[in-house]
Amino acid sequence: MTDKLFDVCGIGNAIVDVLSHCELDFIDRMSLNKGTMTLIDAARAEELYNAMGPAVEVSGGSCGNTIAGLASLGGKGAYFGKVGNDQLGGIFRHDMRASGVHFETASAASATPTARCMIFVTPDAERTMNTYLGACVELTPDDIDAAIVSRSKVTYMEGYLWDPPLAKQAFLKAANIAHGAGREISLSLSDPFCVQRYLAEFQDLVKNHVDILFANEHEITALWETSDFDAAVKATREHCSLAAITRSAKGSVIVSENQVIEVPAWPVKQVVDVTGAGDLYAAGFLYGYTQGREHADSARIASLAAGEVISHFGARPETPLSELLLQQVG
């Protein structure tokens, strides 16, 4: 068999982001949950789209952002995700391939439209996300290419995917293939909403199946049912081989059984939009990890990638991260 073909293959919700600036009173007026992700139906999606101001449409989705970021760093990435047979689906497929990502998942056979996430960015740079999953939920185990998974160093899944039953089965299939081939599994907790919704299942995944965990401080404390960050770190060390925990301006903490490493956030002149910060952090860390770098070095690359994406509007890099990596990290 050909040696490692991909650094990371990702499994996620293929979503087109619709980003718009808004004032704080809009958040209240539309009864939005500021700073979080909320799942919505088609009617609510249409209501919010009609109410939002001028918007920018870009390919997104948490895992999609991560794999695109990995490619921007020079890594080799593959992606599994379901889009509809429509204009937005075509946009998503084009953007992934143009970024250098291997993306061959067939479009949905049904008439279900491509998923979209309305992202409202307030003056404090916080993002409030409302997601209509659309064709995302039609990803099935049959969409997982065993050859790609077995030839990827790491298989990465976003926690948002842990909702549709067939998508869940798709990830479990990929996890079994990866571990059977001696590869590793990585999970992003994605959002406290996801953690609280599937707490027991996520705890089991982290304890028994996941090799590399990504979370922010709100997600990791929710996972271990504590309000104390230090207690959450202690629990993570006991149950997880390797975890990268982000803390916004406080930087990040890399947790393993033998050590805890604190890495500062990358300095940014102005924070414009924090959409995708965690996704690009995961991209940078996985890039460093799959290239054999030390954990602290991988975390610095992760901070650089996150710093780039929060310095502009949108959840994917505007400047090739490989260039920044050469200039800033080496």
Side-chain angles (χ1 to χ4, degrees):
M1 183 177 70
T2 303
D3 199 8
K4 304 178 185 69
L5 178 61
F6 298 104
D7 296 312
V8 182
C9 72
I11 308 172
N13 287 326
I15 299 173
V16 174
D17 291 335
V18 184
L19 300 103
S20 179
H21 287 290
C22 73
E23 299 300 324
L24 290 171
D25 64 336
F26 179 89
I27 301 293
D28 295 331
R29 189 168 69 252
M30 299 304 296
S31 300
L32 303 176
N33 298 315
K34 185 175 181 294
T36 65
M37 191 283 292
T38 302
L39 293 177
I40 58 175
D41 59 19
R44 177 63 165 164
E46 183 176 358
E47 177 189 13
L48 292 177
Y49 184 79
N50 291 335
M52 74 192 320
V56 176
E57 295 178 351
V58 294
S59 297
S62 177
C63 181
N65 294 335
T66 296
I67 301 303
L70 176 92
S72 182
L73 282 158
K76 296 179 179 179
Y79 180 77
F80 300 104
K82 208 73 168 176
V83 296
N85 188 21
D86 53 15
Q87 182 180 4
L88 289 183
I91 290 172
F92 186 94
R93 189 176 299 280
H94 170 270
D95 288 353
M96 290 298 283
R97 289 176 172 175
S99 69
V101 175
H102 180 89
F103 177 40
E104 298 296 335
T105 309
S107 299
S110 69
T112 308
T114 297
R116 70 286 315 269
C117 179
M118 270 67 72
I119 302 177
F120 300 94
V121 183
T122 40
D124 59 0
E126 188 60 85
R127 80 279 188 273
T128 299
M129 301 178 290
N130 289 262
T131 304
Y132 167 58
L133 290 176
C136 280
V137 300
E138 298 185 19
L139 183 75
T140 75
D142 290 340
D143 291 310
I144 302 302
D145 187 333
I148 291 176
V149 174
S150 64
R151 294 161 67 190
S152 299
K153 298 176 186 176
V154 176
T155 294
Y156 173 80
M157 185 194 78
E158 61 181 69
Y160 291 131
L161 195 72
W162 202 254
D163 195 59
L166 287 177
K168 185 183 300 186
Q169 292 174 28
F171 176 68
L172 292 175
K173 173 185 175 181
N176 288 332
I177 293 168
H179 278 155
R183 310 302 192 191
E184 292 183 292
I185 293 296
S186 181
L187 170 72
S188 167
L189 294 182
S190 294
D191 194 284
F193 162 83
C194 298
V195 177
Q196 293 159 2
R197 186 176 175 89
Y198 295 106
L199 181 61
E201 293 177 62
F202 271 26
Q203 287 179 341
D204 175 68
L205 275 174
V206 171
K207 291 177 181 179
N208 300 311
H209 303 284
V210 171
D211 303 296
I212 309 166
L213 178 68
F214 291 94
N216 65 29
E217 58 184 320
H218 303 296
E219 295 155 3
I220 202 68
T221 52
L223 180 69
W224 303 122
E225 299 177 275
T226 178
S227 59
D228 183 79
F229 179 73
D230 291 336
V233 169
K234 183 176 182 295
T236 303
R237 292 186 70 179
E238 293 172 354
H239 298 299
C240 189
S241 300
L242 177 62
I245 305 170
T246 57
R247 307 190 71 192
S248 299
K250 296 179 182 178
S252 60
V253 179
I254 310 304
V255 179
S256 62
E257 182 180 0
N258 298 322
Q259 61 181 345
V260 175
I261 304 169
E262 295 187 18
V263 177
W266 200 267
V268 176
K269 290 182 179 179
Q270 181 181 5
V271 177
V272 175
D273 173 17
V274 298
T275 307
D279 305 336
L280 269 295
Y281 182 95
F285 190 89
L286 287 172
Y287 172 79
Y289 182 84
T290 56
Q291 301 309 306
R293 301 211 185 200
E294 297 291 333
H295 295 338
D297 195 18
S298 297
R300 284 191 287 271
I301 297 172
S303 296
L304 169 66
E308 192 281 338
V309 83
I310 66 174
S311 66
H312 58 76
F313 205 38
R316 295 196 178 178
E318 286 188 348
T319 302
L321 295 177
S322 58
E323 295 181 6
L324 293 181
L325 182 62
L326 288 174
Q327 295 169 9
Q328 306 292 338
V329 179

